[in-house]
Amino acid sequence: MNAAIIFVLLFGLMLTGMPISISLGLTVLTFLFTMTEVPITSVGLKLFTGLDNFGIMAIPFFILTGQFLTRGGVARRMINFTVSLVGHWPGGLGLAGVFACALFAAISGSSVATVVAIGSIVLPAMVDHGFPKRFGAGVIATSGALGLLVPPSIILVLYGVSTNSSIGALFMAGIVPGIILATLLATVTWFIAWRNDYPRLPRATWAQRLKAFRDGVWGLLLIAIVLGGIYGGIFTPTEAAAVSAVYAFFITVFVYRELRLRDVPKVLLNAANLSAMLLYIITNAVLFSFLMTHEQIPQAMAAWIVDKHFGVWAFLLVVNIILLLAGNVMEPSSILLIMAPILFPLATNLGVNPIHLGILMAVNMEVGLCHPPVGLNLYVGSGIAKMGITEMTIAVLPWLFALLTFLVIVTYVPDISLWLPRFLGVLH
Amino acid sequence: MVRVLLWILDRLEEILIGSLMAAATLIIFASVLYRYGSGIPALYPYFHQIHFSWAQELSIYMLIWMAKFGAAYGVRTGIHVGVDVLINQLHGGLRKKVILFGLLCGALFTGIVGTMGADFVIGLMSTDQVSPDMELPSWIVYACIPLGSYLMCFRFLQVAWSYWRTGQLPHHDAAHVEDIAEAEKPDHVGGVAA
C-alpha cells in the first residue's frame, strides 16, 4: 500500500515536468512528514552523507575529462586514424565513425559527449562524400550509445556506487560486450552500405596509417592509463578519473594546442554544471532509496517473487520490460539511480550476478537513448544533422534493431559480461 | 543596484564552482604523484615531510560544495532534466500553470532542505565535532547544505519570476558545441577527397 502511495506521488510529481531530482526529494519529504515518525533532520544530513563517498567523485572527474576531450581535437585524430584503417571498405566513413565512437567512448565515459564529438565531424564529412544524411545520422546516434557500456562509463560508476559493487570489475565487464556491440553495429553499417553501394574512400597507405596512429596516440594512451591503471592496481577508479582529467587538459592545451588556456575556465564551469546536476540527482536518489529500504519495499518484492516461483529467466524479462518502459520517459542516470537499489536485492536473491545486472542495465539504457520520446542521442543527432526527430527515429531503426537483439543476448548469456572479469581475477 | 548585486552573485557562483572543480582534480592528481614519488628513493627526503592523508577528505568536501552550489547554478542554466512528455502536450495557460507549479515545488523543496540544514548546522556549532582527517569544525563542512539550498531556492524563484513575466525558460542544449562544428573537418578525409 505504502509502495503504491510512494510511486503514485513520484510519478504525479514527475509528470508536471519538474526536475527528477526535485520530484524524488519532495516524494520522500511528503511521505516522511505525513506517514512516518522518522526524524526529518536525518534527511538533511543524508543530503551530505549521500555524497560523502570517494567512489562517487569519479563522476565529476570523468565528466571533466570528457569536456576537455570534446573540445580539443582528440576526436578528429581518432577519426583520421579509423578512417585510415577501414575507409576503403563499403560505407568506409560510416564504419570509421562506428569505431571512432567506440574509441572515443573508451576515453570519455559519456554517450552524449561521444555523439557530439564524433558526430559533428563525421556527419558533415559523410554528407560531403555523398552518403545519405539519414544513414550518417543513424550510424552516429546509435554508435554514440557505446559510451554507456565501454569503460570508463559514468553509468557504470553510478551503478557501482548505488549498489556497492566494484567499479573496477564493472569496467572490465563492459569491455567484451562493448567490443561485440561495436562489431554488431559495424556489421549493420557495412551491410547497408554494401547493399546500396555507398561510396568508399581510397585505401590509405601504411605510411598514412602510421602517421594517423602517431597523431592520435596521445588520445589512445588514455585508454591504457584508465584501464591499465585500474586493473594494474596503480590507482582506484576515482584517482584514474582525476589523472585522466589532468592528462586530457595537458594534451588538449599543450600537445594538440587546440584549446586555449583562457577557454579552460569555461570547460571547468561546463563540467561543474553537468556534474552538479548528476550529483544532485544522486543525493535525492539516495534519499529515495533510504525511503524504499525504510518501508522494506525491495524485501516485499523479493518475497513476492520467491512466492510466485519466478525463475531467473522471467525475472530478467520483467526487468528488461520495466527498464525499456522507463526509458520512454526518463534519461538513463535517473532510471539507474532509482531502479538499481530496488533491482539489486531482487537479483542477488535469485542468484543473478550484480555485475551482470549492471551491464544489462547499461545496455538497456543505450536502447533508451536511441528512441523517442526522450532518447537524448536522437536529439543530439538531430541537432548536428539538422533533421527532425521523426526522421531521426526512422534513420536509427536498423541499428536500434541490432541494439535490441544485443540486449537479448547480453541478458541471457551472462558469460559475455562475466568472462573477462573472472579471467582477470577481479570477480569470483 | 539590484542588477549589480545579482551580477556579482552570478560571477561569484561561477568562480566558486569552477575553481573547486579544478582544485579537487589537482589535489587528487598530486596525491597520486606523491604516492608514487615517495616510493622513489631519490625523492624520498623531499616527499616524506609532506603529508597527503587529508587529500581525499578535502577533495570530497570540495566536490560536495561544488555540487551544492553547482546545483543552484544548474537551475539558472536549465540543466536539471525533467519528464516533459506530458507538458509538451499542453498549451496556453494550463501549460504555464503546470510549469510554474513545478518551479515553485523546486523552491519549496530547496527551501525546506535549506531550513533543515540550517537547523542542523546551528546545532553543530555548539558542539566541537570535527571532520576525521583535517579536523575542520563540522559545522563549516556542513554549511554547504543550507547555503547551497537557499541559493538554489532563490534561483528557482528567480526563474519562476522571469518565466511568469516573459514566458522564457533557461534551456540547456546538449547538442550545442561551439568551435567544433564549423572549424573542424578530418584532414585525412579532406586530403583524400581533394
Side-chain angles (χ1 to χ4, degrees):
Chain A
M1 187 55 207
N2 281 350
I5 297 175
I6 293 173
F7 281 106
V8 167
L9 194 59
L10 179 65
F11 289 129
L13 288 175
M14 273 186 185
L15 282 179
T16 67
M18 71 174 70
I20 289 172
S21 39
I22 300 289
S23 18
L24 283 168
L26 264 183
T27 305
V28 176
L29 278 192
T30 318
F31 191 82
L32 292 184
F33 262 132
T34 52
M35 318 273 286
T36 63
E37 309 284 309
V38 178
I40 295 291
T41 31
S42 69
V43 173
L45 190 62
K46 276 241 171 315
L47 287 177
F48 189 92
T49 50
L51 287 182
D52 193 355
N53 172 333
F54 195 55
I56 291 179
M57 299 311 159
I59 294 165
F61 295 149
F62 277 131
I63 289 178
L64 181 59
T65 313
Q67 290 289 318
F68 276 120
L69 294 175
T70 37
R71 283 151 183 264
V74 176
R76 181 162 47 81
R77 290 178 172 82
M78 287 196 161
I79 294 166
N80 285 336
F81 175 56
T82 55
V83 164
S84 76
L85 290 181
V86 297
H88 56 286
W89 292 358
L93 263 177
L95 282 180
V98 175
F99 292 122
C101 279
L103 286 180
F104 197 82
I107 59 175
S108 86
S110 142
S111 161
V112 173
T114 308
V115 179
V116 171
I118 303 295
S120 53
I121 302 170
V122 164
L123 254 180
M126 284 177 84
V127 175
D128 280 354
H129 281 77
F131 286 90
K133 211 183 204 178
R134 249 189 204 183
F135 176 75
V139 173
I140 299 302
T142 41
S143 309
L146 282 167
L148 293 191
L149 186 59
V150 175
S153 145
I154 289 167
I155 285 289
L156 290 180
V157 176
L158 286 175
Y159 178 85
V161 167
S162 65
T163 62
N164 252 329
S165 312
S166 150
I167 295 170
L170 282 164
F171 278 7
M172 297 307 152
I175 296 177
V176 174
I179 294 173
I180 296 178
L181 181 56
T183 317
L184 200 60
L185 294 173
T187 312
V188 175
T189 312
W190 179 86
F191 184 73
I192 296 176
W194 174 73
R195 282 283 296 269
N196 295 304
D197 204 19
Y198 288 154
R200 307 171 177 205
L201 297 172
R203 182 193 290 267
T205 62
W206 281 102
Q208 279 170 322
R209 286 178 186 165
L210 192 68
K211 186 183 171 299
F213 176 74
R214 268 212 315 265
D215 279 349
V217 75
W218 290 97
L220 296 171
L221 261 180
L222 200 49
I223 303 176
I225 294 179
V226 173
L227 288 183
I230 296 173
Y231 173 62
I234 300 173
F235 28 60
T236 64
T238 307
E239 288 171 342
V243 170
S244 53
V246 174
Y247 179 83
F249 160 76
F250 182 76
I251 59 171
T252 52
V253 174
F254 296 110
V255 179
Y256 291 156
R257 295 165 190 268
E258 299 213 8
L259 187 74
R260 285 158 304 191
L261 260 182
R262 66 184 147 93
D263 290 331
V264 169
K266 214 160 125 202
V267 175
L268 284 167
L269 192 60
N270 266 326
N273 196 13
L274 261 172
S275 350
M277 183 268 287
L278 268 182
L279 293 173
Y280 201 69
I281 302 181
I282 295 177
T283 40
N284 289 292
V286 168
L287 279 186
F288 188 71
S289 65
F290 162 74
L291 179 64
M292 292 271 120
T293 337
H294 182 263
E295 295 298 313
Q296 307 209 321
I297 289 167
Q299 288 87 330
M301 287 165 92
W304 185 77
I305 285 181
V306 172
D307 190 50
K308 292 279 179 225
H309 299 290
F310 259 29
V312 174
W313 202 89
F315 169 73
L316 291 179
L317 182 71
V318 174
V319 165
N320 273 323
I321 293 173
I322 294 176
L323 291 176
L324 288 175
L325 287 177
N328 281 308
V329 287
M330 277 190 271
E331 50 83 44
S333 34
S334 316
I335 301 179
L336 193 119
L337 286 165
I338 296 172
M339 296 305 291
I342 300 177
L343 294 178
F344 176 79
L346 305 185
T348 38
N349 223 316
L350 287 171
V352 176
N353 193 303
I355 303 292
H356 175 216
L357 180 69
I359 300 298
L360 184 160
M361 288 187 84
V363 176
N364 220 308
M365 301 297 103
E366 289 185 329
V367 176
L369 275 178
C370 300
H371 69 77
V374 291
L376 202 46
N377 281 14
L378 289 190
Y379 289 91
V380 179
S382 82
I384 300 170
K386 312 269 182 309
M387 274 166 56
I389 285 296
T390 323
E391 207 190 342
M392 262 318 277
T393 312
I394 300 167
V396 297
L397 276 180
W399 293 273
L400 187 60
F401 186 70
L403 254 177
L404 281 169
T405 317
F406 180 68
L407 175 62
V408 175
I409 299 172
V410 163
T411 307
Y412 291 111
V413 190
D415 282 338
I416 295 178
S417 337
L418 299 179
W419 176 78
L420 187 65
R422 280 200 181 120
F423 178 74
L424 294 175
V426 284
L427 183 76
H428 304 288
Chain B
M1 186 57 200
V2 179
R3 272 211 175 160
V4 175
L5 284 179
L6 275 180
W7 187 88
I8 294 174
L9 182 67
D10 287 2
R11 296 296 91 73
L12 273 180
E13 189 181 65
E14 288 161 12
I15 292 168
L16 179 74
I17 61 177
S19 17
L20 284 174
M21 183 93 204
T25 314
L26 288 175
I27 289 172
I28 294 301
F29 181 69
S31 77
V32 173
L33 284 190
Y34 167 77
R35 197 168 68 222
Y36 286 95
S38 58
I40 301 169
L43 293 174
Y44 181 77
Y46 307 100
F47 274 60
H48 85 121
Q49 294 151 14
I50 321 168
H51 291 281
F52 252 110
S53 53
W54 45 267
Q56 190 160 322
E57 190 182 83
L58 180 61
S59 72
I60 290 179
Y61 289 167
M62 282 176 145
L63 287 174
I64 295 180
W65 276 69
M66 186 280 289
K68 298 297 169 202
F69 287 89
Y73 174 72
V75 175
R76 177 149 71 87
T77 56
I79 203 175
H80 292 285
V81 283
V83 176
D84 54 6
V85 181
L86 180 69
I87 53 166
N88 283 343
Q89 307 299 315
L90 302 175
H91 295 286
L94 185 59
R95 178 184 159 87
K96 195 158 183 171
K97 275 182 199 137
V98 173
I99 290 180
L100 273 176
F101 172 76
L103 290 171
L104 292 175
C105 279
L108 176 72
F109 175 70
T110 47
I112 295 174
V113 167
T115 311
M116 288 187 325
D119 260 3
F120 179 70
V121 168
I122 290 168
L124 273 181
M125 278 164 104
S126 55
T127 67
D128 26 276
Q129 240 186 68
V130 291
S131 70
D133 288 329
M134 291 182 296
E135 301 183 351
L136 274 175
S138 290
W139 69 268
I140 296 185
V141 173
Y142 285 93
C144 64
I145 301 176
L147 292 177
S149 294
Y150 279 139
L151 182 61
M152 199 169 169
C153 179
F154 173 70
R155 293 298 185 196
F156 268 118
L157 292 173
Q158 214 182 3
V159 170
W161 174 249
S162 79
Y163 178 68
W164 173 255
R165 294 275 304 272
T166 65
Q168 294 289 317
L169 281 175
H171 175 68
H172 180 83
D173 188 0
H176 178 77
V177 185
E178 61 250 85
D179 319 333
I180 287 187
E182 319 85 60
E184 296 190 5
K185 285 228 175 124
D187 340 307
H188 182 74
V189 178
V192 171

